[in-house]
């Protein structure tokens, strides 16, 4: 008796070869933002000789260092699915605390640095309390903190900017001043590179290592992707979200230190414009290399792009208000890369 041998049934497998149009779209998503950055840089470099000077390029990085550092904090909170709207106010608070510490209380720069970093950590803890314990939505909680901090920094300085030699409420003259060492945070250089730029670079590398190369960073991304699944996996979601906001507060206070060193006085309006730029560079960063998620190098590149645009338009003599229009257009373009095109690719 013979038995029929069964032959394997061949099943059709879908072709994985991408069409030319799909490959082009994938390249646009992955490298489009890098292309825009390089193209703008080359345009300004070729059309304006002063833009190519090393001093101009370093000044550009120095200019964006504050927004970039604040953007790193926003990136951490975006990683856990939140958003810190208080970073600009915290930076401004840092300016007021630094001025109060050195000018009014006549303390050294080291004491001012510790006080500013502590103030940033406290605000971060307040945000964590509102969000993690009281369950207030991230954006609403940090928006409330923004107003509290803005009011607090005015209370600290009685609504006026603090300058060396000013007359205090009791009729006496402020005994202190911004120390030379403190002023070097932004005005000093190491091998020709501004210290603030080195701080920006160092914090960028540290944040990248933390988010991309440590378990804590991977957990933050996991929480942002699916907090409920993370909780069921045994992750202490609340603790990690609190960590993200505390770190964001500390980073914002570092930005405040640079601002205080830059302006050399306790300007009550300091930090007001930094929020929008910080959020912009963090959101722009999501489009870099088509990642579609918050990432440190993307945030850094977003800050560099904002700096290129601002410096280039300034050299060309365009009115300052045109910069906002261009920056807004770039942000929208980046969000198209991040969300619209990437969703079409995965559809």
């Amino acid at each position: 008796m013979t038995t029929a041998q069964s032959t394997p049934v061949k099943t059709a497998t879908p072709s994985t070869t991408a069409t030319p149009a799909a490959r082009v779209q994938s390249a646009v998503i992955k490298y489009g933002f890098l292309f825009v950055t390089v193209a703008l840089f080359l345009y300004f470099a070729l059309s304006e000789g002063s833009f190519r000077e090393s001093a101009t390029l370093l000044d550009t990085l120095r200019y964006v260092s504050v927004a970039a550092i604040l953007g790193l904090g926003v990136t951490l909170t975006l990683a856990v699915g939140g958003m810190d709207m208080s970073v600009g106010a915290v930076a401004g608070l840092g300016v007021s605390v630094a001025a109060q510490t050195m000018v009014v209380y006549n303390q050294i720069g080291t004491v001012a640095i510790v006080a500013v970093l502590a103030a940033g950590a406290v605000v971060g803890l307040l945000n964590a309390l509102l969000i993690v314990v009281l369950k207030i939505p991230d954006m609403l909680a940090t928006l409330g903190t923004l107003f509290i901090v803005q009011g607090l920094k005015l209370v600290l300085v009685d609504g006026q900017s603090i300058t060396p030699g000013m007359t205090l409420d009791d009729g006496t003259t402020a005994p202190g001043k911004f120390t030379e060492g403190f002023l070097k945070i932004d005005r000093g250089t190491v091998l020709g590179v501004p210290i603030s730029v080195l701080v920006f670079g160092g914090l960028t590398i540290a944040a990248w290592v933390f988010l991309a190369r440590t378990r804590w960073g991977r957990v933050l991304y996991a929480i942002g992707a699916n907090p409920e699944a993370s909780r069921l996996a045994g992750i202490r979601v609340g603790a990690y979200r609190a960590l993200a906001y505390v770190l964001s507060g500390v980073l914002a206070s570092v930005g405040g230190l640079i601002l205080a060193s830059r302006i050399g006085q306790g300007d009550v309006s300091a930090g007001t414009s930094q929020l929008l730029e910080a959020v912009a560079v963090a959101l722009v960063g999501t489009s870099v290399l088509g990642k579609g998620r918050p990432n440190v190098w993307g945030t850094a590149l977003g800050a560099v792009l904002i700096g290129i645009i601002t410096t280039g338009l300034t050299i060309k003599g365009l009115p300052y208000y045109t910069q906002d229009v261009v920056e807004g257009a770039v942000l929208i373009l980046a969000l198209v890369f991040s969300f619209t095109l990437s969703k079409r690719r995965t559809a």
Side-chain angles (χ1 to χ4, degrees):
M1 184 176 179
T2 61
T3 57
Q5 293 184 350
S6 60
T7 59
V9 178
K10 295 182 179 180
T11 58
T13 57
S15 174
T16 58
T17 303
T19 64
R23 287 197 296 268
V24 170
Q25 180 172 304
S26 178
V28 168
I29 293 172
K30 191 170 185 179
Y31 302 110
F33 198 75
L34 291 173
F35 174 79
V36 170
T37 303
V38 173
L40 283 173
F41 177 82
L42 291 176
Y43 167 70
F44 288 124
L46 294 175
S47 61
E48 299 291 341
S50 60
F51 186 86
R52 299 192 297 269
E53 297 176 359
S54 59
T56 301
L57 298 178
L58 288 174
D59 280 342
T60 298
L61 293 177
R62 176 174 167 267
Y63 166 76
V64 301
S65 60
V66 174
I69 293 171
L70 269 61
L72 293 177
V74 176
T75 300
L76 291 174
T77 59
L78 286 173
V80 295
M83 170 72 80
D84 190 352
M85 299 291 290
S86 66
V87 290
V90 174
L93 176 65
V95 174
S96 296
V97 170
Q100 189 88 0
T101 303
M102 287 183 288
V103 176
V104 177
Y105 296 116
N106 199 21
Q107 298 296 312
I108 61 176
T110 302
V111 175
I113 291 173
V114 172
V116 171
L117 294 177
V122 168
V123 176
L125 285 171
L126 174 60
N127 283 331
L129 173 67
L130 296 174
I131 294 165
V132 176
V133 179
L134 300 182
K135 308 297 182 184
I136 300 175
D138 303 60
M139 189 171 293
L140 296 178
T142 55
L143 188 61
T145 305
L146 180 155
F147 287 108
I148 292 174
V149 173
Q150 282 186 336
L152 180 61
K153 73 175 183 180
L154 292 174
V155 171
L156 285 176
V157 298
D158 294 327
Q160 60 181 332
S161 296
I162 296 179
T163 57
M166 67 180 292
T167 301
L168 302 178
D169 290 340
D170 59 3
T172 62
T173 301
K177 65 177 183 178
F178 280 79
T179 64
E180 292 298 324
F182 184 89
L183 292 176
K184 287 183 179 179
I185 294 175
D186 184 64
R187 304 179 187 183
T189 62
V190 175
L191 299 177
V193 180
I195 293 176
S196 55
V197 175
L198 295 176
V199 172
F200 162 37
L203 289 176
T204 299
I205 294 173
W208 171 73
V209 171
F210 176 74
L211 272 181
R213 292 293 185 266
T214 68
R215 176 182 180 276
W216 300 290
R218 290 190 289 271
V219 169
L220 292 182
Y221 277 129
I223 292 171
N226 194 326
E228 183 60 21
S230 299
R231 185 186 66 81
L232 294 175
I235 295 173
R236 299 175 61 187
V237 173
Y240 279 97
R241 295 187 74 197
L243 174 64
Y245 281 95
V246 172
L247 290 177
S248 178
V250 172
L251 286 170
S253 67
V254 174
L257 288 171
I258 295 175
L259 267 182
S261 173
R262 182 172 300 172
I263 61 181
Q265 65 175 11
D267 190 343
V268 293
S269 64
T272 303
S273 63
Q274 298 298 324
L275 170 62
L276 294 180
E277 289 190 351
V279 172
V281 300
L283 291 177
V284 164
T286 62
S287 69
V288 175
L289 296 178
K291 291 183 178 297
R293 70 173 186 175
N295 69 94
V296 170
W297 292 117
T299 298
L301 181 62
V304 170
L305 176 60
I306 295 298
I308 290 173
I309 293 172
T310 302
T311 302
L313 295 181
T314 300
I315 291 176
K316 283 189 169 297
L318 271 70
Y320 71 92
Y321 45 80
T322 61
Q323 298 172 7
D324 292 335
V325 177
V326 178
E327 289 176 7
V330 170
L331 176 58
I332 292 175
L333 179 63
L335 295 178
V336 169
F337 282 135
S338 296
F339 300 102
T340 307
L341 293 180
S342 60
K343 285 182 179 180
R344 289 180 181 176
R345 182 179 63 174
T346 57

